[in-house]
């Protein structure tokens, strides 16, 4: 039986006669997805087109390529867009509570696409699809703005900086207090919820929402990047974008000890200051030990988005490169 995508693939088999492709990205939720901006830039700089939709309902009937984040597309929409080539991307898996059950529901209810992308091998294994659909791994990248050379000496005001989702810092409030007790200052880049603000010591400064292009400048206001991630699945198995961005701007990294961070440090030959689970060790870790640790900042140039995306063989199937 011919799949809905086969006429499109046959058409693309003669690149010299192929007009520019338009890829329709479906966000499926409010999550911050920097990869979509990277995809759009990659595609448009190569003479093709890209449109971003909040939901699949606004994707036109004549769509050539539909790229759904987290694989969420109803069977009705799949039928409505049956002439498109469908890509389902899983940048993460479900989070607690009932994470495993939610992933099983996705396994049984998500329609079969023409291609799947997963953030890493752990995510692909966790989702467990075994239906023969071609797939590839696409890890997180770093925007080129983080690699731009400094034009002036940075105003280094803070000892540590944290970038990322602030709600996930709530379990780490005792550790933030240890930073204060050690006489260190901390900069939080982003919006801190009121529940967190009410518990922060005086030595912590919050920037509020910052335009993405200004994030590297904010990171360089500190001497060390702080990576704090819950040591529970799926968080401890997924890429920490903030850690990549710390490395891109040249910050030595202080991190709690968990599986993905250990893998990354080994793979990229980095030396991080690992925080133990023992609360009694936190204040000394941020004292003299913070300065004395033999840091090595990994070279993450190969993770710049354009370099990372150029390795995807999917583009050859779509004749975008």
């Amino acid at each position: 039986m011919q799949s809905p995508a086969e006429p499109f693939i046959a058409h693309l088999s003669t690149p010299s006669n192929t007009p520019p492709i338009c890829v329709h990205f479906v966000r499926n939720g409010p999550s911050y997805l920097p990869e979509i901006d990277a995809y759009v830039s990659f595609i448009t700089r190569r003479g093709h087109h890209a449109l971003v939709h909040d939901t699949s309902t606004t994707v036109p009937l004549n769509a050539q390529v539909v790229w759904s984040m987290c694989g969420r597309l109803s069977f009705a929409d799949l039928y409505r867009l049956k002439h498109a080539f469908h890509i389902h991307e899983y940048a993460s898996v479900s989070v607690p509570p009932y994470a495993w059950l939610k992933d099983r529901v996705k396994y049984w209810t998500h329609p079969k696409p023409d291609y799947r992308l997963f953030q890493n091998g752990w995510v692909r294994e966790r989702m467990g699809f075994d239906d023969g659909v071609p797939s590839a791994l696409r890890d997180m990248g770093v925007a080129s703005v983080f690699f731009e050379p400094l034009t002036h000496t940075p105003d280094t005001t803070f000892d540590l900086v944290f970038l990322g989702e602030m709600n996930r810092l709530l379990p780490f409030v005792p550790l933030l207090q240890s930073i204060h007790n050690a006489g260190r200052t901390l900069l939080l880049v982003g919006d801190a919820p009121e529940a967190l603000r009410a518990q922060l010591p005086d030595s912590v400064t919050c920037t509020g929402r910052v335009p993405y292009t200004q994030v590297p400048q904010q990171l360089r206001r500190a001497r060390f990047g702080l990576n704090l991630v819950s040591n529970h699945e799926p968080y401890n198995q997924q890429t920490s974008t903030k850690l990549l961005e710390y490395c891109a701007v040249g910050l030595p990294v202080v991190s709690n000890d968990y599986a993905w961070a250990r893998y990354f440090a080994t793979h990229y030959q980095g030396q991080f200051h690992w925080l133990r689970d023992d609360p009694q060790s936190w204040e000394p870790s941020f004292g003299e030990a913070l300065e004395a640790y033999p840091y090595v900042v990994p070279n993450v140039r190969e993770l710049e988005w354009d370099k990372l995306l150029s390795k995807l063989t999917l583009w050859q199937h779509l004749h975008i490169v």
Side-chain angles (χ1 to χ4, degrees):
M1 181 177 178
Q2 188 181 47
S3 76
E6 284 175 0
F8 178 53
I9 295 174
H11 176 63
L12 290 183
S13 65
T14 55
S16 60
N17 299 323
T18 302
I21 303 301
C22 184
V23 181
H24 295 265
F25 291 96
V26 183
R27 295 185 59 88
N28 283 320
S31 298
Y32 172 56
L33 298 171
E35 54 265 49
I36 290 184
D37 292 337
Y39 287 141
V40 170
S41 175
F42 185 91
I43 290 168
T44 56
R45 282 188 290 107
R46 285 157 177 81
H48 299 277
H49 308 292
L51 292 173
V52 181
H53 305 260
D54 289 334
T55 69
S56 57
T57 57
T58 58
V59 178
L61 286 173
N62 64 348
Q64 296 169 291
V65 181
V66 180
W67 194 312
S68 303
M69 309 307 291
C70 297
R72 289 174 56 192
L73 192 70
S74 69
F75 284 92
D77 278 326
L78 189 69
Y79 181 79
R80 184 176 72 85
L81 303 167
K82 60 186 176 182
H83 297 298
F85 184 85
H86 288 275
I87 303 163
H88 287 183
E89 177 163 340
Y90 293 85
S92 63
V93 298
S94 300
V95 299
Y98 311 116
W100 184 88
L101 178 60
K102 287 186 281 189
D103 285 334
R104 288 300 88 196
V105 171
K106 291 179 183 178
Y107 176 87
W108 290 112
T109 62
H110 284 186
K112 185 176 178 179
D114 299 288
Y115 201 92
R116 290 191 183 100
L117 283 173
F118 301 91
Q119 186 192 93
N120 57 34
W122 185 87
V123 173
R124 179 161 60 183
E125 183 177 347
R126 171 67 173 261
M127 293 308 303
F129 293 112
D130 55 358
D131 51 12
V133 171
S135 68
L137 307 181
R138 195 278 304 149
D139 211 335
M140 288 300 296
V142 182
S144 58
V145 67
F146 288 86
F147 296 102
E148 292 177 357
L150 289 172
T151 57
H152 61 280
T153 303
D155 179 18
T156 305
T157 307
F158 299 90
D159 294 305
L160 296 132
V161 62
F162 177 90
L163 169 68
E165 172 54 57
M166 299 296 174
N167 282 306
R168 295 180 182 175
L169 267 184
L170 283 167
F172 292 101
V173 165
L175 189 146
L176 302 185
Q177 184 62 50
S178 296
I179 294 174
H180 173 79
N181 294 343
R184 302 293 186 179
T185 54
L186 172 64
L187 176 68
L188 302 182
V189 180
D191 272 336
E194 185 55 39
L196 177 63
R197 284 179 176 272
Q199 302 180 66
L200 292 176
D202 296 338
S203 56
V204 177
T205 301
C206 301
T207 65
R209 188 176 298 276
V210 172
Y212 189 63
T213 55
Q214 295 180 19
V215 170
Q217 176 184 341
Q218 294 295 328
L219 296 184
R220 291 187 175 108
R221 296 175 67 191
R223 297 185 298 125
F224 302 93
L226 181 62
N227 183 58
L228 299 175
V229 173
S230 172
N231 195 13
H232 298 282
E233 293 183 355
Y235 309 108
N236 62 359
Q237 297 287 350
Q238 296 177 172
T239 302
S240 171
T241 305
K242 58 180 167 286
L243 193 153
L244 304 185
E245 292 170 345
Y246 296 157
C247 295
V249 300
L251 289 183
V253 173
V254 179
S255 177
N256 65 311
D257 197 346
Y258 64 98
W260 178 86
R262 279 285 182 180
Y263 158 78
F264 176 81
T266 300
H267 186 74
Y268 286 93
Q269 300 178 338
Q271 290 275 11
F272 300 156
H273 184 169
W274 300 107
L275 302 170
R276 301 203 305 267
D277 290 336
D278 174 19
Q280 300 299 320
S281 69
W282 292 342
E283 189 173 328
S285 291
F286 292 111
E288 292 183 4
L290 186 68
E291 311 283 351
Y293 198 82
Y295 297 93
V296 176
V297 179
N299 183 345
V300 294
R301 279 276 177 180
E302 67 182 72
L303 298 179
E304 191 272 326
W305 271 120
D306 197 68
K307 293 180 181 179
L308 188 72
L309 295 184
S310 65
K311 298 176 183 178
L312 284 179
T313 58
L314 175 60
W315 307 122
Q316 281 75 42
H317 291 296
L318 302 178
H319 291 303
I320 284 179
V321 295

